[in-house]
Amino acid sequence: MPSCKSISLISATVMYRQESNRCMPITPIKLEFCLNPSLLPWRLLMIAAELTAPGQLTVADVPAPILNTSDSVLVRVRAVGICGSDVHNYVHGGIGARKVVYPFIPGHEASGEVLAVGRAVKGMGQGTRVMIEPAMHCGHCDQCVDGHFNTCRRIQFLSSAGELQGCMCEQVVVPAHNCFRIPDSVSFEAAAFAEPLSIAIYSVQQSIPLSAETPVVILGAGPIGLSTLLAAKHAGAQRIYVTDRIPERLAMAATLGACWTGNPDKIDIVADILVKESLGIPVVFECCGQQDAIDQGIRLLKPRGKLVITGIPEGSRITMNIDLMRRNELNIYNVRRQNQCVEPAIEMISRGAIDVSPLITHRFSLAASRQAFDTVARYADGVVKAMVMC
Ligand SMILES: [Zn+2]
Ligand SMILES: [Zn+2]
């Protein structure tokens, strides 16, 4: 009988093979090979952070992924950012109705170096520095045909519960077209940050045309809120109001260009902002997933204003003041990650139009990834974006 360790190795191997090619059968010969871990050459193992239960993360040796499709690449991961969704999966074991199946590798904001490419891959090879776009769309459904790749009906997303394992490990195999080349001048951590920045760029695209005269409110100054500040500024906004409960985040928002910051625990942020903007706000970005913030956003908006919701609430339901929304003909727009904004994000970072480096406040080794998650989950030590350097 195989030992427990052998069984976990088999399941992990099957998992990886499913990730890289869902149609590829596991042959009995390969299973036999995996049954005895002592037969595994050392190079087939890698270190990975794995969620094992709500609130539990271990760093373990797992089988390295196998490059077994001609259009994929094997990437040596170098930097992975911790996203709010990763923290939801870590703390609560899922988001809304989506539950994590353990063990589960988190992380989808990743960059690294190509180690090997499939036969059909052109334009990149060993050593190419890449940012990994974590969303894999089918390309055939009605959403994909219409260009709405982020709402693809068969989307597979790295580190999304029920979909694909994540990148917080040494190596991943991903389709070549999910890898975007990054110039040498862009650090791995900045390239990894292109993923959350792409969401902010997309949020701003979905809002309204912004100019120096457009007042903008951003509720929540975490990585997405602060990225939205940078993206809104880049799009022309200058009167940007930012709220958060954490003083360090408000200080950073002010440094990055907010004209006003406020803490809803200390002041009536709606009243204070409306003193300065008596007609109300045409666009509010909700970037923290809190019921309070949704309520504040609806009260801040001017008639026909737009509430752009990017934050992820803890549960499946929130409430909204339909009376105010109806009377003021308010628009609510839910942002689902991003669509085709990764390349613009990399381009803005690489030409210096947007500097994400102040937002990367903490760095941890892969071995310390549990500490990284705890720091982010507790909003400790002024953390904005924590990077795990693999
Ligand atoms: Zn994310
Ligand atoms: Zn599709």
Side-chain angles (χ1 to χ4, degrees), residues 34 76 97 115 161 183 199 210 234 292 357:
C34 295
R76 174 67 175 89
L115 288 179
I199 294 168
L210 300 180
H234 185 264
D292 288 357
S357 58

Side-chain angles (χ1 to χ4, degrees), residues 209-259:
L210 300 180
S211 73
E213 286 72 46
T214 318
V216 169
V217 172
I218 298 171
L219 303 168
I224 292 291
L226 291 171
S227 297
T228 303
L229 163 60
L230 295 176
K233 218 171 74 172
H234 185 264
Q238 290 181 9
R239 275 155 52 197
I240 307 176
Y241 298 76
V242 179
T243 70
D244 203 282
R245 295 195 153 96
I246 300 173
E248 290 95 332
R249 293 187 170 189
L250 292 178
M252 188 176 289
T255 306
L256 296 176
C259 71

Side-chain angles (χ1 to χ4, degrees), residues 83-86 108-109 157 195-196 199:
C83 172
S85 64
D86 292 316
H108 56 263
E109 303 171 358
F157 196 89
E195 201 276 336
I199 294 168

Side-chain angles (χ1 to χ4, degrees), residues 336-375:
R336 180 56 169 162
R337 298 175 183 141
Q338 58 83 28
N339 188 17
Q340 300 179 78
C341 289
V342 166
E343 278 181 293
I346 294 172
E347 188 268 329
M348 285 179 201
I349 291 171
S350 57
R351 72 179 157 87
I354 285 185
D355 179 13
V356 294
S357 58
L359 280 64
I360 304 169
T361 52
H362 289 65
R363 293 161 189 84
F364 297 86
S365 66
L366 184 53
S369 42
R370 173 161 195 156
Q371 193 190 340
F373 268 83
D374 287 338
T375 302

Side-chain angles (χ1 to χ4, degrees), residues 136-145 148-149 151-155:
M136 293 161 206
H137 57 268
C138 77
H140 304 294
C141 72
D142 59 332
Q143 299 299 299
C144 286
V145 168
H148 305 303
F149 303 112
T151 49
C152 167
R153 292 175 190 272
R154 288 184 283 276
I155 198 162

Side-chain angles (χ1 to χ4, degrees), residues 201-211 213-217 231-232 235-237 280-285 301-308 331 333:
I201 292 168
Y202 179 71
S203 301
V204 168
Q205 282 180 0
Q206 306 312 304
S207 64
I208 59 171
L210 300 180
S211 73
E213 286 72 46
T214 318
V216 169
V217 172
I281 304 294
V283 60
V284 173
F285 295 92
L301 286 171
K302 69 192 294 184
R304 302 184 53 75
K306 193 165 190 177
L307 178 65
V308 179
N331 297 288
Y333 194 94

Side-chain angles (χ1 to χ4, degrees), residues 107-148:
H108 56 263
E109 303 171 358
S111 64
E113 285 165 285
V114 172
L115 288 179
V117 302
R119 279 194 316 279
V121 175
K122 303 269 184 285
M124 61 180 87
Q126 190 180 5
T128 304
R129 302 169 80 250
V130 293
M131 177 270 177
I132 298 170
E133 140 76 294
M136 293 161 206
H137 57 268
C138 77
H140 304 294
C141 72
D142 59 332
Q143 299 299 299
C144 286
V145 168
D146 288 344
H148 305 303

